[in-house]
Amino acid sequence: MAKDKANRPRRPRAETPRGFRDWFGAEVEARAAMLGAITEVYRRYGFDPLETSGIETVEALGKFLPDVDRPNEGVFAFQDDDETWLALRYDLTAPLARVYAQHQQTLPTPYRRFAVGPVWRNEKPGPGRFRQFWQCDADTVGAASVAADAEICAMLADALEAAGISRGDYLVRINNRKVLDGVMEVAGLHDVSDPTRFSIERGIVVRAIDKLDRLGPDGVLALLGEGRKDDSGDFTRGANLSTQQIEIIMGFVDASRLVREELENGPPNPDLRIPSGMGFVVEDADRHSEGVGRLWNWAVLDHLMRLVGQSRSGEEGIRELGEIIDLLQAQGYGPDRIRLDPSVVRGLGYYTGPVYEAELTFEILDEKGRPRQFGSVAGGGRYDDLVKRFTGQLTPATGVSIGVDRLLAALAAKGRGPKEGGGPVVVCVMDRARMADYAAMTGALRAAGLRAETFLGGGKMAKQLAYADRRMSPVAVIAGEDEFARGVVQLKDMALGARLAAGIETNEEWKAQPAQLEVPRDRLVEAVEAMIARAGG
Amino acid sequence: MAKDKANRPRRPRAETPRGFRDWFGAEVEARAAMLGAITEVYRRYGFDPLETSGIETVEALGKFLPDVDRPNEGVFAFQDDDETWLALRYDLTAPLARVYAQHQQTLPTPYRRFAVGPVWRNEKPGPGRFRQFWQCDADTVGAASVAADAEICAMLADALEAAGISRGDYLVRINNRKVLDGVMEVAGLHDVSDPTRFSIERGIVVRAIDKLDRLGPDGVLALLGEGRKDDSGDFTRGANLSTQQIEIIMGFVDASRLVREELENGPPNPDLRIPSGMGFVVEDADRHSEGVGRLWNWAVLDHLMRLVGQSRSGEEGIRELGEIIDLLQAQGYGPDRIRLDPSVVRGLGYYTGPVYEAELTFEILDEKGRPRQFGSVAGGGRYDDLVKRFTGQLTPATGVSIGVDRLLAALAAKGRGPKEGGGPVVVCVMDRARMADYAAMTGALRAAGLRAETFLGGGKMAKQLAYADRRMSPVAVIAGEDEFARGVVQLKDMALGARLAAGIETNEEWKAQPAQLEVPRDRLVEAVEAMIARAGG
């Protein structure tokens, strides 16, 4: 049967699938180092690792992704051969709830776990927005006290600093879904006798608030009213609220700006009505000695109290926030690091109490060269009902998720991205009949703990040295017939060669160093070590 | 709208999906430590990390899984919204081929990469057999020389030892698909004028050989003939070969037994006809001084030479194996660690040359308590055509994959599984109004680098100490109203308490140590450190 070209199957395309990416060498190492630093903080805080598979049942995952109307939209789902619907996890929180419900008899309570791994979102990819990304989470299950939330916020600040974000370059912003519930109540969007009433409107409001950063107050305003047409002409239906309802909600959403104006336009409000008997006290020092910064959190609480203090869940939410701020303040985490911000709502549907978000406050240039704030790199909150879905029993839980890939992108944008380097010593092959000898030299270098390899490709000297250069090799080892006869090897200082070539080395002493050196073969290892030490010095 | 119980959606089941599992605390840490040890060996050999996403296009993955007839069987596949078929990767080799084809202009050649991560197989789960498992691979792309294969085998031996497998407890077994091709040729199952002829028979033969470990020679014999009925009554169709064909193939499959008998039943074959001019030489020392062990690899080559030496691909395969053995012997990797074994064929469809497999040689008890060899934990080989699928250009490549989860299971079976321990210091909460004080103590311990946490759950002293015990805490810190008034804390030595309770400590001096100690609050950190040091000593 002769082969017919037309019948030959076409070649598969060598392409990363749409919305996915590959990570090479130094990028992989940079992430591993960052995960090591963050999980070291988690461990020190008493969290233990847990790993689940990438696949869960669709029913266990639940439907909590934002902006999702159709079932299974937002996840990659497929049917098992026993007809169970399976899906790739979209976060590490839903699997934790499943694990805790499944193993609560044998797990300690509280169960404090951290988890690291990729998650998948079946979303439209965009610039810098991928359909697989890494998260690094820590959660406490079984702790009702907001001390658990305060601890997570403090740990998040510590973890960001361990990951290489300087203090002042990030802000952990806290809010409480209960305060938002209070706002809904005050705005007439919550009917205590029928909690499901107005749920569509509330959904629109939450998603609108979550977009404040991106759309600005006017965009949110439009979504609370009739709706909003975006740049592409697509129309998003609004919540159709009344002017009065919109005013209440904007007073909450825009609280940060209102409080800032209040504090900047005069002496700190002399009537600052900090709720009494709530376990936190504004010291006189807070009012005066450190100005607006230190007073911030209390001024926000005061503003919220005026707005929703008469609602029961609003008042409860404000008291919880006060306790959190109180605990954090006592541990030295002031509003320079952790601050109240009513515009934080978090998109995921499962939050029930305090919510938090870490944003990076420095500016970067976007893909069109315009400066913009880097934005959110981590988020979390309390989700007291997620385990209850499985067990029927209330199980308090709270936790945070750090978006590791976004954090790496942020460091790269600050010019602190992954650095290539530390390539292997390359033992060049001049004489193929001598492979065992080259392998022995490479073996000796490896035995001394050095990275080393015999060149295994094709090509002559120039190609082998170009390879060593491309691999960032510190040293190339060269031995041909002549060298073997004389019992010596040539060492080429690749680092010095590169520095000389790039004109980096102007120091006369350096220039005097030979870029190539002949040494006895039995002194190979120590001579290579010395050459590497010189390059590193 | 009153809630109707019948209408309430049923609760989701809290179950790990069928064929998947969860890894807790010490299990996660044990795997991380093993991966660290193995990748450190890979790095030292000059390999750089690469990470790809879990998802590839189905066409990029290709169909190379063994025992798979229907398309997409064996993988978890799903359709993207642009109708592209996507699938979870089933190994780390197919994605590497895609990456190399896509980026070969910018990657060094040879491209030496290692990769670590989960892979997914849509298979029927069984005891100890999961549908997600971790692999840890290293591959050299762009090196045609079998020196690259020899290097991978040596590195595999080093990596297994770094992972904690003692020398003598493993064996790297090598074969060559080209020798198998020679056997097919000699047995009349390879028609040079039409390579696709007999491909079904060859497929059955390869899969049958791959099952030698499990089915024994009789099972393989049946599959080469009419077929085989297994214990469940299922019938697997055989290759229907003639007696003469079967004899040739069994001479190959069963070579190890035949060579062993030859060597054991008399003095080493005086006619040992090592192929001359093939770059390897049997020294007199090999023939005499170290007996059967050292001679093994040469005796196998001799046996194969007699069997398929007259076939061109058989002869080429034997010469390659000789070169590999020669290089390994020169580096001190003898048949005690790396040995030829014609029964190794590897199930994956993409191999074209040398193939290798690491098996653990010690016995474990299976799920029914019967002793059995642990078996294969790693495998690999040369796949010169895998990149060519994309580019049309021949690109030699070879590499190995270590099945990390199986290796961990092996260590556990040897009684060297993950050890719990190193739990956090637990600061108990006696007085909820003092949360800031407890948090300050915990913070001081953490600042000293200790794992520490404030107890955040509910419950009194006994429950809190039970929690500390469950977490393997070394020390519990206790302070109530009285202690705060006197400026002291109580330290409870949990490790000593546990040892005393378990009757482990009989030493009088130890018994004299107090399990509880009162220290000034400002000496908390040093006192805790001293108590931990004592427990560790």
Side-chain angles (χ1 to χ4, degrees):
Chain A
M1 189 174 76
K3 274 206 172 168
D4 182 353
K5 199 169 179 184
N7 280 338
R8 214 180 288 171
R10 75 171 183 81
R11 286 187 203 138
R13 272 189 299 267
E15 280 174 10
T16 320
R18 197 170 55 95
F20 294 90
R21 56 161 296 193
D22 305 311
W23 293 263
F24 292 91
E27 295 169 329
V28 179
E29 285 177 359
R31 184 166 61 209
M34 179 178 280
L35 289 172
I38 294 173
T39 55
E40 178 51 36
V41 172
Y42 290 172
R43 274 185 53 78
R44 204 164 68 234
Y45 270 78
F47 291 79
D48 278 345
L50 167 71
E51 192 190 300
T52 59
S53 294
I55 292 175
E56 296 280 343
T57 64
V58 163
E59 68 163 356
L61 286 179
K63 294 180 187 108
F64 298 101
L65 286 175
D67 267 338
V68 163
D69 295 324
R70 282 170 292 168
N72 299 337
E73 191 75 350
V75 302
F76 290 102
F78 38 92
Q79 210 166 8
D80 203 357
D81 49 17
D82 67 357
E83 306 204 334
T84 307
W85 276 94
L86 302 175
L88 293 175
R89 64 185 178 202
Y90 58 80
D91 72 2
L92 301 174
T93 311
L96 167 65
R98 191 267 302 157
V99 166
Y100 187 81
Q102 184 173 347
H103 298 282
Q104 60 178 322
Q105 301 306 323
T106 55
L107 290 172
T109 298
Y111 178 49
R112 295 158 72 83
R113 84 88 181 81
F114 69 82
V116 170
V119 302
W120 293 268
R121 303 265 170 102
N122 191 358
E123 289 171 350
K124 216 167 95 181
R129 191 172 159 175
F130 296 98
R131 304 207 283 173
Q132 171 177 323
F133 52 91
W134 280 63
Q135 293 190 328
C136 185
D137 286 27
D139 295 76
T140 300
V141 182
S145 158
V146 291
D149 301 276
E151 180 189 56
I152 295 275
C153 291
M155 183 169 70
L156 174 54
D158 287 4
L160 291 174
E161 292 183 21
I165 306 293
S166 308
R167 200 170 295 184
D169 275 350
Y170 70 89
L171 211 46
V172 177
R173 304 185 301 153
I174 312 183
N175 192 15
N176 197 328
R177 278 282 176 97
K178 288 180 184 168
V179 177
L180 179 61
D181 290 344
V183 172
M184 299 288 190
E185 218 176 297
V186 172
L189 287 171
H190 182 74
D191 182 343
V192 186
S193 68
D194 178 8
T196 60
R197 203 175 156 201
F198 303 124
S199 63
I200 291 171
E201 286 82 356
R202 286 198 303 269
I204 296 175
V205 171
V206 169
R207 288 197 292 274
I209 299 175
D210 199 33
K211 288 178 186 154
L212 177 66
D213 273 357
R214 195 149 55 82
L215 307 182
D218 289 346
V220 175
L221 210 61
L223 287 170
L224 298 179
E226 289 181 2
R228 180 177 173 276
K229 195 179 271 189
D230 68 17
D231 294 343
S232 72
D234 283 352
F235 184 77
T236 308
R237 215 191 102 198
N240 270 313
L241 305 187
S242 72
T243 313
Q244 205 192 346
Q245 288 175 314
I246 291 179
E247 201 173 299
I248 292 166
I249 289 165
M250 290 307 293
F252 172 75
V253 174
D254 218 13
S256 289
R257 191 179 56 76
L258 298 170
V259 170
R260 196 175 306 118
E261 281 178 9
E262 230 172 68
L263 287 171
E264 281 169 358
N265 291 342
N269 178 3
D271 294 330
L272 195 60
R273 290 174 304 160
I274 298 302
S276 59
M278 278 193 168
F280 55 90
V281 180
V282 178
E283 306 279 346
D284 257 10
D286 292 323
R287 284 181 193 273
H288 305 293
S289 64
E290 297 182 42
V292 171
R294 182 119 189 240
L295 205 55
W296 175 266
N297 287 329
W298 306 120
V300 173
L301 286 176
D302 177 56
H303 174 90
L304 293 177
M305 202 63 196
R306 276 178 279 155
L307 199 69
V308 297
Q310 71 271 40
S311 127
R312 188 171 158 170
S313 62
E315 189 266 351
E316 191 178 317
I318 293 168
R319 189 177 55 223
E320 288 178 356
L321 288 176
E323 271 182 57
I324 291 172
I325 291 303
D326 210 24
L327 277 167
L328 289 171
Q329 203 84 264
Q331 293 168 67
Y333 295 86
D336 57 324
R337 285 193 275 174
I338 304 182
R339 138 174 347 176
L340 293 184
D341 184 339
S343 70
V344 173
V345 297
R346 304 296 301 156
L348 288 165
Y350 48 60
Y351 293 118
T352 55
V355 285
Y356 21 89
E357 193 166 275
E359 66 168 347
L360 301 188
T361 51
F362 53 80
E363 281 189 346
I364 57 149
L365 298 180
D366 69 10
E367 60 272 18
K368 286 175 184 160
R370 293 169 304 207
R372 64 165 180 86
Q373 289 232 320
F374 190 86
S376 173
V377 290
R382 180 165 281 278
Y383 49 95
D384 284 351
D385 294 337
L386 209 46
V387 175
K388 190 182 171 189
R389 284 183 66 231
F390 297 99
T391 62
Q393 296 165 319
L394 185 79
T395 306
T398 187
V400 71
S401 179
I402 296 183
V404 180
D405 293 321
R406 277 191 57 76
L407 207 47
L408 285 166
L411 286 177
K414 284 275 265 186
R416 291 166 53 204
K419 298 275 174 293
E420 295 273 355
V425 174
V426 171
V427 176
C428 299
V429 173
M430 318 286 290
D431 178 356
R432 301 218 152 254
R434 292 281 196 169
M435 282 308 285
D437 288 295
Y438 296 122
M441 289 191 239
T442 302
L445 292 166
R446 285 174 187 156
L450 294 172
R451 294 189 77 191
E453 61 178 79
T454 309
F455 183 78
L456 293 176
K460 299 211 195 274
M461 208 55 223
K463 201 170 165 192
Q464 301 196 24
L465 289 177
Y467 170 82
D469 204 44
R470 171 70 187 78
R471 289 295 307 280
M472 314 284 281
S473 303
V475 178
V477 178
I478 302 166
E481 205 174 330
D482 172 59
E483 281 82 6
F484 280 114
R486 295 192 293 119
V488 298
V489 293
Q490 307 286 338
L491 302 187
K492 195 168 163 56
D493 187 334
M494 301 298 293
L496 179 59
R499 290 160 81 110
L500 289 173
I504 294 168
E505 281 309 330
T506 52
N507 185 307
E508 290 308 312
E509 199 187 333
W510 268 86
K511 276 193 180 169
Q513 297 275 6
Q516 191 157 327
L517 194 71
E518 181 175 300
V519 299
R521 185 168 154 185
D522 58 10
R523 289 195 53 242
L524 170 70
V525 173
E526 57 191 287
V528 168
E529 281 172 338
M531 195 171 262
I532 291 174
R534 195 182 68 181
Chain B
M1 189 174 76
K3 272 205 173 169
D4 181 353
K5 201 170 180 184
N7 281 337
R8 215 181 287 171
R10 75 170 183 81
R11 286 185 204 141
R13 273 188 299 266
E15 279 175 10
T16 321
R18 197 170 54 97
F20 295 90
R21 56 161 295 195
D22 305 310
W23 293 263
F24 292 90
E27 295 169 329
V28 180
E29 285 177 0
R31 183 165 61 209
M34 179 178 281
L35 289 172
I38 294 173
T39 56
E40 178 50 36
V41 173
Y42 289 172
R43 274 184 54 78
R44 204 164 67 233
Y45 270 78
F47 291 79
D48 278 345
L50 167 71
E51 192 190 302
T52 59
S53 293
I55 292 175
E56 296 280 343
T57 63
V58 164
E59 68 163 356
L61 286 179
K63 293 178 187 109
F64 299 101
L65 285 175
D67 267 338
V68 162
D69 296 322
R70 283 169 291 169
N72 299 337
E73 190 75 348
V75 302
F76 291 102
F78 38 92
Q79 210 167 7
D80 204 357
D81 48 18
D82 67 358
E83 306 205 335
T84 307
W85 274 95
L86 302 175
L88 292 174
R89 64 185 179 203
Y90 57 80
D91 71 1
L92 301 174
T93 310
L96 168 64
R98 191 266 302 158
V99 165
Y100 187 80
Q102 184 173 347
H103 298 282
Q104 59 178 321
Q105 299 307 322
T106 53
L107 289 172
T109 298
Y111 177 50
R112 294 157 72 83
R113 84 89 180 80
F114 68 82
V116 169
V119 302
W120 293 267
R121 302 267 170 101
N122 191 358
E123 288 169 351
K124 216 168 95 181
R129 190 172 160 175
F130 295 98
R131 304 208 283 174
Q132 171 177 323
F133 52 91
W134 279 63
Q135 293 190 329
C136 185
D137 285 28
D139 295 76
T140 300
V141 182
S145 158
V146 292
D149 301 276
E151 180 189 56
I152 295 275
C153 291
M155 183 169 70
L156 174 54
D158 288 5
L160 292 173
E161 292 183 21
I165 306 294
S166 308
R167 201 170 294 185
D169 274 351
Y170 70 89
L171 211 46
V172 176
R173 305 185 300 153
I174 312 185
N175 192 15
N176 197 329
R177 278 282 176 98
K178 288 180 185 170
V179 177
L180 181 62
D181 291 344
V183 172
M184 299 289 189
E185 220 176 295
V186 172
L189 287 172
H190 182 74
D191 182 343
V192 186
S193 67
D194 178 7
T196 60
R197 204 175 154 201
F198 302 123
S199 63
I200 291 171
E201 287 82 356
R202 286 199 302 270
I204 295 175
V205 171
V206 169
R207 289 196 292 273
I209 299 175
D210 198 34
K211 287 177 186 155
L212 177 66
D213 273 356
R214 196 149 55 83
L215 306 182
D218 289 345
V220 175
L221 210 59
L223 287 171
L224 298 179
E226 289 181 2
R228 180 178 174 275
K229 195 179 271 189
D230 69 16
D231 293 344
S232 71
D234 284 352
F235 184 77
T236 306
R237 214 191 102 198
N240 271 311
L241 305 187
S242 72
T243 314
Q244 205 193 345
Q245 288 176 313
I246 291 177
E247 201 174 298
I248 293 167
I249 289 165
M250 289 309 292
F252 173 75
V253 173
D254 219 11
S256 289
R257 193 180 54 77
L258 298 170
V259 171
R260 197 175 306 120
E261 280 178 9
E262 231 173 69
L263 289 171
E264 281 169 358
N265 291 342
N269 179 3
D271 295 328
L272 195 60
R273 291 174 304 163
I274 296 303
S276 59
M278 279 195 167
F280 55 89
V281 180
V282 178
E283 307 277 349
D284 258 10
D286 292 324
R287 285 180 192 275
H288 306 293
S289 64
E290 296 182 44
V292 170
R294 182 118 189 240
L295 206 54
W296 176 265
N297 287 329
W298 307 120
V300 173
L301 285 176
D302 177 55
H303 175 91
L304 291 178
M305 203 63 194
R306 276 178 279 154
L307 200 70
V308 298
Q310 70 272 41
S311 129
R312 186 171 158 173
S313 62
E315 188 267 351
E316 190 179 317
I318 293 168
R319 189 177 55 222
E320 288 178 356
L321 289 176
E323 271 181 58
I324 291 172
I325 291 304
D326 211 23
L327 276 167
L328 289 171
Q329 204 84 264
Q331 293 167 67
Y333 295 87
D336 57 323
R337 286 193 274 174
I338 304 182
R339 128 172 1 171
L340 292 184
D341 186 338
S343 70
V344 172
V345 297
R346 303 296 301 154
L348 287 166
Y350 48 59
Y351 293 118
T352 56
V355 286
Y356 19 90
E357 192 164 276
E359 69 168 345
L360 301 188
T361 51
F362 53 81
E363 281 189 345
I364 57 151
L365 299 180
D366 69 9
E367 59 272 18
K368 286 174 184 161
R370 295 170 303 208
R372 62 164 181 88
Q373 289 231 319
F374 191 86
S376 173
V377 291
R382 180 164 283 278
Y383 49 95
D384 283 351
D385 295 336
L386 209 46
V387 175
K388 190 182 171 189
R389 284 183 66 232
F390 297 100
T391 62
Q393 296 165 320
L394 185 79
T395 306
T398 188
V400 71
S401 179
I402 297 183
V404 180
D405 293 322
R406 277 191 57 77
L407 207 47
L408 286 167
L411 286 177
K414 284 273 265 187
R416 291 164 55 202
K419 298 275 173 293
E420 295 272 356
V425 174
V426 172
V427 176
C428 300
V429 172
M430 317 286 289
D431 178 356
R432 302 219 152 254
R434 292 280 195 171
M435 284 307 286
D437 288 295
Y438 296 121
M441 288 190 240
T442 303
L445 292 166
R446 286 174 187 155
L450 295 172
R451 293 190 77 192
E453 60 178 77
T454 309
F455 183 77
L456 294 177
K460 299 211 196 271
M461 208 53 222
K463 201 169 165 193
Q464 302 196 23
L465 288 177
Y467 170 82
D469 204 44
R470 172 69 187 80
R471 290 295 307 279
M472 314 283 280
S473 303
V475 177
V477 179
I478 303 166
E481 205 174 331
D482 172 58
E483 282 82 6
F484 281 113
R486 294 191 292 118
V488 299
V489 293
Q490 307 286 338
L491 302 187
K492 197 168 161 55
D493 187 334
M494 299 300 292
L496 180 59
R499 290 159 81 109
L500 289 174
I504 294 168
E505 282 309 331
T506 52
N507 185 307
E508 290 308 311
E509 198 187 334
W510 268 86
K511 278 194 179 166
Q513 295 275 6
Q516 191 156 328
L517 195 71
E518 181 175 301
V519 299
R521 185 169 155 184
D522 58 10
R523 289 196 50 243
L524 169 70
V525 173
E526 56 191 288
V528 168
E529 280 172 339
M531 196 169 264
I532 292 174
R534 197 182 65 180

